[in-house]
Short mmCIF file of all heavy atoms in Angstrom, two decimals:
data_model
loop_
_atom_site.label_atom_id
_atom_site.label_comp_id
_atom_site.label_asym_id
_atom_site.label_seq_id
_atom_site.Cartn_x
_atom_site.Cartn_y
_atom_site.Cartn_z
N PRO A 24 46.84 39.02 -36.39
CA PRO A 24 46.52 40.06 -37.35
C PRO A 24 45.01 40.21 -37.56
O PRO A 24 44.32 39.17 -37.58
CB PRO A 24 47.23 39.50 -38.70
CG PRO A 24 47.47 38.07 -38.40
CD PRO A 24 47.60 37.88 -36.92
N LEU A 25 44.60 41.45 -37.81
CA LEU A 25 43.18 41.75 -38.04
C LEU A 25 43.03 42.53 -39.27
O LEU A 25 43.83 43.42 -39.56
CB LEU A 25 42.71 42.57 -36.84
CG LEU A 25 42.73 41.90 -35.42
CD1 LEU A 25 42.41 42.91 -34.32
CD2 LEU A 25 41.69 40.75 -35.42
N ASP A 26 41.98 42.20 -39.99
CA ASP A 26 41.68 42.96 -41.23
C ASP A 26 40.35 43.72 -40.91
O ASP A 26 39.27 43.11 -40.87
CB ASP A 26 41.48 42.00 -42.40
CG ASP A 26 41.20 42.78 -43.68
OD1 ASP A 26 40.88 43.93 -43.64
OD2 ASP A 26 41.33 42.14 -44.79
N MET A 27 40.46 45.01 -40.70
CA MET A 27 39.33 45.82 -40.21
C MET A 27 38.35 46.35 -41.32
O MET A 27 37.58 47.25 -41.08
CB MET A 27 39.78 46.90 -39.27
CG MET A 27 40.59 46.39 -38.08
SD MET A 27 39.83 45.00 -37.18
CE MET A 27 38.60 45.92 -36.14
N HIS A 28 38.46 45.74 -42.54
CA HIS A 28 37.52 46.05 -43.59
C HIS A 28 37.69 45.02 -44.72
O HIS A 28 38.66 45.08 -45.48
CB HIS A 28 37.86 47.48 -44.21
CG HIS A 28 36.91 47.92 -45.22
ND1 HIS A 28 36.37 49.20 -45.20
CD2 HIS A 28 36.42 47.36 -46.34
CE1 HIS A 28 35.56 49.35 -46.23
NE2 HIS A 28 35.58 48.21 -46.93
N LEU A 29 36.74 44.10 -44.76
CA LEU A 29 36.84 42.96 -45.69
C LEU A 29 35.51 42.68 -46.32
O LEU A 29 34.50 42.62 -45.68
CB LEU A 29 37.38 41.79 -44.87
CG LEU A 29 37.54 40.44 -45.68
CD1 LEU A 29 38.65 40.52 -46.76
CD2 LEU A 29 37.90 39.28 -44.72
N HIS A 30 35.59 42.37 -47.62
CA HIS A 30 34.40 41.90 -48.39
C HIS A 30 34.57 40.39 -48.67
O HIS A 30 35.51 39.93 -49.28
CB HIS A 30 34.26 42.63 -49.74
CG HIS A 30 34.07 44.07 -49.57
ND1 HIS A 30 32.82 44.64 -49.50
CD2 HIS A 30 34.95 45.14 -49.46
CE1 HIS A 30 32.94 45.95 -49.36
NE2 HIS A 30 34.20 46.25 -49.36
N LEU A 31 33.57 39.63 -48.08
CA LEU A 31 33.60 38.16 -48.33
C LEU A 31 32.58 37.70 -49.31
O LEU A 31 32.55 36.51 -49.68
CB LEU A 31 33.50 37.44 -46.99
CG LEU A 31 34.64 37.48 -45.98
CD1 LEU A 31 34.35 36.67 -44.77
CD2 LEU A 31 35.90 36.97 -46.67
N ARG A 32 31.63 38.61 -49.62
CA ARG A 32 30.54 38.19 -50.61
C ARG A 32 29.76 37.01 -50.04
O ARG A 32 29.69 36.79 -48.85
CB ARG A 32 31.09 37.85 -52.01
CG ARG A 32 32.13 38.82 -52.56
CD ARG A 32 31.55 40.23 -52.77
NE ARG A 32 32.47 41.05 -53.52
CZ ARG A 32 32.61 42.38 -53.44
NH1 ARG A 32 31.88 43.05 -52.56
NH2 ARG A 32 33.41 43.01 -54.17
N ASP A 33 29.15 36.21 -50.99
CA ASP A 33 28.30 35.12 -50.54
C ASP A 33 28.41 33.92 -51.53
O ASP A 33 29.14 34.03 -52.52
CB ASP A 33 26.86 35.61 -50.51
CG ASP A 33 26.06 34.98 -49.37
OD1 ASP A 33 26.43 33.97 -48.85
OD2 ASP A 33 24.99 35.55 -49.02
N THR A 34 27.79 32.83 -51.29
CA THR A 34 27.68 31.63 -52.09
C THR A 34 29.07 31.21 -52.57
O THR A 34 30.01 31.09 -51.76
CB THR A 34 26.64 31.88 -53.24
OG1 THR A 34 27.07 32.93 -54.08
CG2 THR A 34 25.25 32.06 -52.74
N GLU A 35 29.28 30.95 -53.92
CA GLU A 35 30.52 30.37 -54.34
C GLU A 35 31.72 31.30 -54.07
O GLU A 35 32.79 30.83 -53.72
CB GLU A 35 30.51 30.12 -55.90
CG GLU A 35 29.41 29.25 -56.43
CD GLU A 35 28.28 30.08 -56.96
OE1 GLU A 35 28.44 30.59 -58.08
OE2 GLU A 35 27.20 30.28 -56.25
N MET A 36 31.48 32.61 -54.23
CA MET A 36 32.60 33.53 -54.02
C MET A 36 33.05 33.48 -52.56
O MET A 36 34.22 33.45 -52.22
CB MET A 36 32.18 34.99 -54.36
CG MET A 36 33.28 35.94 -54.32
SD MET A 36 34.65 35.57 -55.41
CE MET A 36 34.24 36.58 -56.82
#
Side-chain angles (χ1 to χ4, degrees):
L25 296 170
D26 182 346
M27 302 310 279
H28 183 131
L29 178 64
H30 296 269
L31 288 181
R32 315 297 192 210
D33 215 341
T34 59
E35 304 96 80
M36 184 62 95

